[in-house]
Every structure is written in C-alpha cells, then in structure tokens.
Amino acid sequence: MGALFLMLIAATPCPAKGAAVVVLTAEHTLVTCADGAELTRAPIALGSGGVARKRVGWAQTPLGRFTLSAPRPSSQFHTFIPLVNPDPRRFSAWAIGLHGPPRDTKDAGLINVESDWTWGCIALASDEAIDALAAWVRAARVTHVEFR
C-alpha cells in the first residue's frame, strides 16, 4: 500500500509548495495547484502549430516556465492573461497568454477546445472558465505558469 501511495503522490503535476498553474500540453489540460494538491483541471486548446521546445514560431505553444502578467479584459477572448516575454531571441514580438474562447463561439462550450486553433496561446472553453482562472490567479497571487 505504501508504494502505491508514493506513486500517486509522484504522479501529480503540482509543485510541493505554493500556488501554481501547470499546462500539460500532451493531455490538453490546465491544472491549478496549491501546495502540491490539484484544485482544478480544465480542457484547453493549444497553438495550431503544435508545441516548441526551443525557438517559437508562428502558432506554436512554447514549453517552459513563464511569468504571468495581470489578467485583463479582451475584446477578442473575454479575458486575457498575458505571459511576459522572457527571451526576445526565443519569441517574436507577438503576445501569448491564457484566454477564453473567441467571441463568435463564446457559447459553444467544449467545442472551443476540441482542436488546436490558437496562435500559440492556451485557450479555455468558456468565459466562465477563464474568469474563474483569472480570479484565482489574482487571489492566490500566482506569478508563473509552466507549460510542459
């Protein structure tokens, strides 16, 4: 029983301490964490160009740990949580972040995350999902996100 318990603990994507947002790109899942425990899981869409480990091109979602800026309203995606550009040699000038669905499909629900369609961002399925994430990021004072 002890080995099974240890395997379950090791399987969590959450860091042992603090509040965190972790994006599991292979699973198309965003996880919120607090002190090693998963709080929520949400389905997501990624960039239509896949993921990128080194240099990010058009429509690719980067892998790595990034600083978050404050959530803000967005006319295109309801709410946008920008990533701070950590390395201009790795990223072009376009902004990437976490956001809600496009305005023309805002009521489509999970259809918004059935395929990868963004320009490198992480899209959640609904306005409610991005608003809940933004409120939690503010309340928990989350400053980083990790894309794996």
Side-chain angles (χ1 to χ4, degrees):
M1 177 78 102
L4 176 60
F5 181 71
L6 288 176
M7 285 179 17
L8 291 174
I9 290 174
T12 183
C14 298
K17 295 190 180 207
V21 176
V22 178
V23 173
L24 304 173
T25 58
E27 295 179 26
H28 286 76
T29 302
L30 182 142
V31 181
T32 59
C33 307
D35 294 325
E38 287 187 26
L39 300 177
T40 63
R41 280 184 170 246
I44 56 168
L46 305 170
S48 61
V51 297
R53 295 193 183 281
K54 294 186 179 179
R55 186 165 177 82
V56 177
W58 196 249
Q60 290 180 306
T61 299
L63 296 178
R65 187 170 191 260
F66 306 99
T67 301
L68 291 172
S69 291
R72 65 177 194 223
S74 167
S75 61
Q76 289 182 292
F77 304 111
H78 183 64
T79 299
F80 189 76
I81 307 171
L83 302 184
V84 175
N85 185 351
D87 183 352
R89 294 166 298 169
R90 184 174 173 205
F91 298 96
S92 53
W94 48 273
I96 59 171
L98 314 170
H99 61 69
R103 300 299 72 210
D104 60 343
T105 62
K106 68 180 181 168
D107 297 321
L110 292 175
I111 291 172
N112 288 313
V113 294
E114 284 184 353
S115 63
D116 292 334
W117 57 268
T118 77
W119 292 342
C121 295
I122 302 300
L124 282 88
S126 67
D127 290 352
E128 294 79 17
I130 190 63
D131 285 346
L133 178 62
W136 181 77
V137 163
R138 286 183 190 106
R141 299 177 188 244
V142 179
T143 59
H144 290 85
V145 62
E146 185 173 347
F147 294 178
R148 298 181 186 164

PDB file of all heavy atoms in Angstrom, residues 117-139:
ATOM      1  N   TRP A 117      -6.198  25.568 -32.178  1.00  0.00           N
ATOM      2  CA  TRP A 117      -6.503  26.616 -33.145  1.00  0.00           C
ATOM      3  C   TRP A 117      -5.832  27.955 -32.837  1.00  0.00           C
ATOM      4  O   TRP A 117      -5.895  28.871 -33.638  1.00  0.00           O
ATOM      5  CB  TRP A 117      -8.021  26.838 -33.221  1.00  0.00           C
ATOM      6  CG  TRP A 117      -8.628  27.181 -31.880  1.00  0.00           C
ATOM      7  CD1 TRP A 117      -9.154  26.315 -30.973  1.00  0.00           C
ATOM      8  CD2 TRP A 117      -8.741  28.477 -31.296  1.00  0.00           C
ATOM      9  NE1 TRP A 117      -9.592  26.975 -29.848  1.00  0.00           N
ATOM     10  CE2 TRP A 117      -9.353  28.315 -30.024  1.00  0.00           C
ATOM     11  CE3 TRP A 117      -8.387  29.756 -31.703  1.00  0.00           C
ATOM     12  CZ2 TRP A 117      -9.616  29.390 -29.173  1.00  0.00           C
ATOM     13  CZ3 TRP A 117      -8.657  30.828 -30.852  1.00  0.00           C
ATOM     14  CH2 TRP A 117      -9.260  30.630 -29.610  1.00  0.00           C
ATOM     15  N   THR A 118      -5.171  28.092 -31.687  1.00  0.00           N
ATOM     16  CA  THR A 118      -4.646  29.414 -31.311  1.00  0.00           C
ATOM     17  C   THR A 118      -3.334  29.728 -32.034  1.00  0.00           C
ATOM     18  O   THR A 118      -2.767  28.875 -32.716  1.00  0.00           O
ATOM     19  CB  THR A 118      -4.418  29.525 -29.791  1.00  0.00           C
ATOM     20  OG1 THR A 118      -3.219  28.816 -29.446  1.00  0.00           O
ATOM     21  CG2 THR A 118      -5.602  28.985 -28.995  1.00  0.00           C
ATOM     22  N   TRP A 119      -2.838  30.937 -31.825  1.00  0.00           N
ATOM     23  CA  TRP A 119      -1.559  31.364 -32.403  1.00  0.00           C
ATOM     24  C   TRP A 119      -0.403  31.092 -31.433  1.00  0.00           C
ATOM     25  O   TRP A 119       0.641  31.732 -31.513  1.00  0.00           O
ATOM     26  CB  TRP A 119      -1.593  32.832 -32.755  1.00  0.00           C
ATOM     27  CG  TRP A 119      -2.519  33.165 -33.889  1.00  0.00           C
ATOM     28  CD1 TRP A 119      -3.045  32.311 -34.818  1.00  0.00           C
ATOM     29  CD2 TRP A 119      -3.015  34.451 -34.218  1.00  0.00           C
ATOM     30  NE1 TRP A 119      -3.834  32.986 -35.694  1.00  0.00           N
ATOM     31  CE2 TRP A 119      -3.833  34.313 -35.357  1.00  0.00           C
ATOM     32  CE3 TRP A 119      -2.853  35.721 -33.671  1.00  0.00           C
ATOM     33  CZ2 TRP A 119      -4.487  35.384 -35.940  1.00  0.00           C
ATOM     34  CZ3 TRP A 119      -3.503  36.785 -34.258  1.00  0.00           C
ATOM     35  CH2 TRP A 119      -4.307  36.611 -35.378  1.00  0.00           C
ATOM     36  N   GLY A 120      -0.604  30.165 -30.518  1.00  0.00           N
ATOM     37  CA  GLY A 120       0.414  29.810 -29.534  1.00  0.00           C
ATOM     38  C   GLY A 120      -0.083  29.938 -28.111  1.00  0.00           C
ATOM     39  O   GLY A 120       0.569  29.513 -27.173  1.00  0.00           O
ATOM     40  N   CYS A 121      -1.247  30.521 -27.948  1.00  0.00           N
ATOM     41  CA  CYS A 121      -1.840  30.713 -26.624  1.00  0.00           C
ATOM     42  C   CYS A 121      -2.469  29.428 -26.098  1.00  0.00           C
ATOM     43  O   CYS A 121      -2.573  28.433 -26.806  1.00  0.00           O
ATOM     44  CB  CYS A 121      -2.924  31.785 -26.688  1.00  0.00           C
ATOM     45  SG  CYS A 121      -2.318  33.434 -27.082  1.00  0.00           S
ATOM     46  N   ILE A 122      -2.932  29.513 -24.866  1.00  0.00           N
ATOM     47  CA  ILE A 122      -3.728  28.478 -24.240  1.00  0.00           C
ATOM     48  C   ILE A 122      -5.147  29.026 -24.158  1.00  0.00           C
ATOM     49  O   ILE A 122      -5.375  30.074 -23.549  1.00  0.00           O
ATOM     50  CB  ILE A 122      -3.219  28.156 -22.818  1.00  0.00           C
ATOM     51  CG1 ILE A 122      -1.766  27.710 -22.849  1.00  0.00           C
ATOM     52  CG2 ILE A 122      -4.117  27.140 -22.139  1.00  0.00           C
ATOM     53  CD1 ILE A 122      -1.473  26.480 -23.658  1.00  0.00           C
ATOM     54  N   ALA A 123      -6.104  28.343 -24.781  1.00  0.00           N
ATOM     55  CA  ALA A 123      -7.500  28.778 -24.762  1.00  0.00           C
ATOM     56  C   ALA A 123      -8.328  27.848 -23.896  1.00  0.00           C
ATOM     57  O   ALA A 123      -8.209  26.629 -24.002  1.00  0.00           O
ATOM     58  CB  ALA A 123      -8.066  28.813 -26.175  1.00  0.00           C
ATOM     59  N   LEU A 124      -9.156  28.436 -23.065  1.00  0.00           N
ATOM     60  CA  LEU A 124     -10.115  27.673 -22.281  1.00  0.00           C
ATOM     61  C   LEU A 124     -11.457  27.663 -23.008  1.00  0.00           C
ATOM     62  O   LEU A 124     -11.693  28.472 -23.896  1.00  0.00           O
ATOM     63  CB  LEU A 124     -10.243  28.256 -20.875  1.00  0.00           C
ATOM     64  CG  LEU A 124      -9.059  27.856 -19.974  1.00  0.00           C
ATOM     65  CD1 LEU A 124      -7.921  28.830 -20.105  1.00  0.00           C
ATOM     66  CD2 LEU A 124      -9.491  27.735 -18.545  1.00  0.00           C
ATOM     67  N   ALA A 125     -12.342  26.769 -22.602  1.00  0.00           N
ATOM     68  CA  ALA A 125     -13.574  26.509 -23.338  1.00  0.00           C
ATOM     69  C   ALA A 125     -14.643  27.591 -23.186  1.00  0.00           C
ATOM     70  O   ALA A 125     -15.471  27.749 -24.068  1.00  0.00           O
ATOM     71  CB  ALA A 125     -14.163  25.171 -22.912  1.00  0.00           C
ATOM     72  N   SER A 126     -14.633  28.323 -22.068  1.00  0.00           N
ATOM     73  CA  SER A 126     -15.741  29.239 -21.807  1.00  0.00           C
ATOM     74  C   SER A 126     -15.279  30.498 -21.084  1.00  0.00           C
ATOM     75  O   SER A 126     -14.208  30.528 -20.471  1.00  0.00           O
ATOM     76  CB  SER A 126     -16.810  28.546 -20.958  1.00  0.00           C
ATOM     77  OG  SER A 126     -16.303  28.288 -19.658  1.00  0.00           O
ATOM     78  N   ASP A 127     -16.132  31.518 -21.147  1.00  0.00           N
ATOM     79  CA  ASP A 127     -15.872  32.742 -20.391  1.00  0.00           C
ATOM     80  C   ASP A 127     -15.819  32.441 -18.901  1.00  0.00           C
ATOM     81  O   ASP A 127     -14.992  32.989 -18.175  1.00  0.00           O
ATOM     82  CB  ASP A 127     -16.965  33.782 -20.658  1.00  0.00           C
ATOM     83  CG  ASP A 127     -16.914  34.361 -22.058  1.00  0.00           C
ATOM     84  OD1 ASP A 127     -15.939  34.089 -22.796  1.00  0.00           O
ATOM     85  OD2 ASP A 127     -17.859  35.099 -22.416  1.00  0.00           O
ATOM     86  N   GLU A 128     -16.685  31.554 -18.440  1.00  0.00           N
ATOM     87  CA  GLU A 128     -16.705  31.193 -17.021  1.00  0.00           C
ATOM     88  C   GLU A 128     -15.382  30.549 -16.597  1.00  0.00           C
ATOM     89  O   GLU A 128     -14.869  30.841 -15.513  1.00  0.00           O
ATOM     90  CB  GLU A 128     -17.878  30.246 -16.720  1.00  0.00           C
ATOM     91  CG  GLU A 128     -19.241  30.869 -16.901  1.00  0.00           C
ATOM     92  CD  GLU A 128     -19.707  30.969 -18.357  1.00  0.00           C
ATOM     93  OE1 GLU A 128     -19.144  30.285 -19.239  1.00  0.00           O
ATOM     94  OE2 GLU A 128     -20.631  31.750 -18.619  1.00  0.00           O
ATOM     95  N   ALA A 129     -14.823  29.704 -17.448  1.00  0.00           N
ATOM     96  CA  ALA A 129     -13.562  29.029 -17.116  1.00  0.00           C
ATOM     97  C   ALA A 129     -12.408  30.021 -17.028  1.00  0.00           C
ATOM     98  O   ALA A 129     -11.607  29.960 -16.095  1.00  0.00           O
ATOM     99  CB  ALA A 129     -13.257  27.940 -18.140  1.00  0.00           C
ATOM    100  N   ILE A 130     -12.312  30.948 -17.978  1.00  0.00           N
ATOM    101  CA  ILE A 130     -11.209  31.916 -17.929  1.00  0.00           C
ATOM    102  C   ILE A 130     -11.414  32.911 -16.783  1.00  0.00           C
ATOM    103  O   ILE A 130     -10.454  33.331 -16.140  1.00  0.00           O
ATOM    104  CB  ILE A 130     -10.974  32.629 -19.291  1.00  0.00           C
ATOM    105  CG1 ILE A 130      -9.667  33.451 -19.259  1.00  0.00           C
ATOM    106  CG2 ILE A 130     -12.132  33.503 -19.673  1.00  0.00           C
ATOM    107  CD1 ILE A 130      -8.403  32.670 -19.058  1.00  0.00           C
ATOM    108  N   ASP A 131     -12.661  33.279 -16.506  1.00  0.00           N
ATOM    109  CA  ASP A 131     -12.917  34.187 -15.387  1.00  0.00           C
ATOM    110  C   ASP A 131     -12.559  33.540 -14.060  1.00  0.00           C
ATOM    111  O   ASP A 131     -11.984  34.193 -13.177  1.00  0.00           O
ATOM    112  CB  ASP A 131     -14.374  34.641 -15.376  1.00  0.00           C
ATOM    113  CG  ASP A 131     -14.672  35.675 -16.444  1.00  0.00           C
ATOM    114  OD1 ASP A 131     -13.718  36.249 -17.019  1.00  0.00           O
ATOM    115  OD2 ASP A 131     -15.869  35.913 -16.705  1.00  0.00           O
ATOM    116  N   ALA A 132     -12.879  32.255 -13.893  1.00  0.00           N
ATOM    117  CA  ALA A 132     -12.519  31.547 -12.661  1.00  0.00           C
ATOM    118  C   ALA A 132     -11.005  31.459 -12.517  1.00  0.00           C
ATOM    119  O   ALA A 132     -10.458  31.671 -11.428  1.00  0.00           O
ATOM    120  CB  ALA A 132     -13.148  30.152 -12.646  1.00  0.00           C
ATOM    121  N   LEU A 133     -10.313  31.179 -13.617  1.00  0.00           N
ATOM    122  CA  LEU A 133      -8.851  31.118 -13.574  1.00  0.00           C
ATOM    123  C   LEU A 133      -8.270  32.481 -13.233  1.00  0.00           C
ATOM    124  O   LEU A 133      -7.392  32.591 -12.374  1.00  0.00           O
ATOM    125  CB  LEU A 133      -8.286  30.617 -14.905  1.00  0.00           C
ATOM    126  CG  LEU A 133      -6.759  30.567 -14.984  1.00  0.00           C
ATOM    127  CD1 LEU A 133      -6.181  29.595 -13.956  1.00  0.00           C
ATOM    128  CD2 LEU A 133      -6.309  30.207 -16.391  1.00  0.00           C
ATOM    129  N   ALA A 134      -8.755  33.538 -13.886  1.00  0.00           N
ATOM    130  CA  ALA A 134      -8.241  34.889 -13.627  1.00  0.00           C
ATOM    131  C   ALA A 134      -8.477  35.297 -12.172  1.00  0.00           C
ATOM    132  O   ALA A 134      -7.583  35.867 -11.535  1.00  0.00           O
ATOM    133  CB  ALA A 134      -8.886  35.887 -14.580  1.00  0.00           C
ATOM    134  N   ALA A 135      -9.649  34.997 -11.638  1.00  0.00           N
ATOM    135  CA  ALA A 135      -9.946  35.335 -10.240  1.00  0.00           C
ATOM    136  C   ALA A 135      -9.020  34.578  -9.295  1.00  0.00           C
ATOM    137  O   ALA A 135      -8.506  35.145  -8.321  1.00  0.00           O
ATOM    138  CB  ALA A 135     -11.409  35.009  -9.923  1.00  0.00           C
ATOM    139  N   TRP A 136      -8.763  33.294  -9.600  1.00  0.00           N
ATOM    140  CA  TRP A 136      -7.873  32.509  -8.750  1.00  0.00           C
ATOM    141  C   TRP A 136      -6.434  33.004  -8.861  1.00  0.00           C
ATOM    142  O   TRP A 136      -5.729  33.097  -7.858  1.00  0.00           O
ATOM    143  CB  TRP A 136      -7.978  31.024  -9.117  1.00  0.00           C
ATOM    144  CG  TRP A 136      -7.108  30.174  -8.253  1.00  0.00           C
ATOM    145  CD1 TRP A 136      -7.348  29.786  -6.973  1.00  0.00           C
ATOM    146  CD2 TRP A 136      -5.833  29.649  -8.602  1.00  0.00           C
ATOM    147  NE1 TRP A 136      -6.303  29.037  -6.509  1.00  0.00           N
ATOM    148  CE2 TRP A 136      -5.354  28.940  -7.490  1.00  0.00           C
ATOM    149  CE3 TRP A 136      -5.050  29.697  -9.749  1.00  0.00           C
ATOM    150  CZ2 TRP A 136      -4.134  28.296  -7.485  1.00  0.00           C
ATOM    151  CZ3 TRP A 136      -3.833  29.048  -9.744  1.00  0.00           C
ATOM    152  CH2 TRP A 136      -3.386  28.353  -8.630  1.00  0.00           C
ATOM    153  N   VAL A 137      -5.981  33.343 -10.065  1.00  0.00           N
ATOM    154  CA  VAL A 137      -4.622  33.877 -10.255  1.00  0.00           C
ATOM    155  C   VAL A 137      -4.447  35.140  -9.415  1.00  0.00           C
ATOM    156  O   VAL A 137      -3.429  35.326  -8.755  1.00  0.00           O
ATOM    157  CB  VAL A 137      -4.340  34.136 -11.751  1.00  0.00           C
ATOM    158  CG1 VAL A 137      -3.142  35.054 -11.955  1.00  0.00           C
ATOM    159  CG2 VAL A 137      -4.126  32.821 -12.486  1.00  0.00           C
ATOM    160  N   ARG A 138      -5.457  36.022  -9.435  1.00  0.00           N
ATOM    161  CA  ARG A 138      -5.382  37.252  -8.631  1.00  0.00           C
ATOM    162  C   ARG A 138      -5.379  36.926  -7.133  1.00  0.00           C
ATOM    163  O   ARG A 138      -4.543  37.433  -6.384  1.00  0.00           O
ATOM    164  CB  ARG A 138      -6.563  38.165  -8.954  1.00  0.00           C
ATOM    165  CG  ARG A 138      -6.484  38.855 -10.278  1.00  0.00           C
ATOM    166  CD  ARG A 138      -7.688  39.802 -10.453  1.00  0.00           C
ATOM    167  NE  ARG A 138      -7.775  40.302 -11.789  1.00  0.00           N
ATOM    168  CZ  ARG A 138      -8.671  39.899 -12.694  1.00  0.00           C
ATOM    169  NH1 ARG A 138      -9.573  38.977 -12.385  1.00  0.00           N
ATOM    170  NH2 ARG A 138      -8.677  40.417 -13.900  1.00  0.00           N
ATOM    171  N   ALA A 139      -6.334  36.114  -6.687  1.00  0.00           N
ATOM    172  CA  ALA A 139      -6.492  35.822  -5.257  1.00  0.00           C
ATOM    173  C   ALA A 139      -5.299  35.074  -4.682  1.00  0.00           C
ATOM    174  O   ALA A 139      -4.850  35.366  -3.567  1.00  0.00           O
ATOM    175  CB  ALA A 139      -7.776  35.029  -5.023  1.00  0.00           C
TER     176      ALA A 139
END
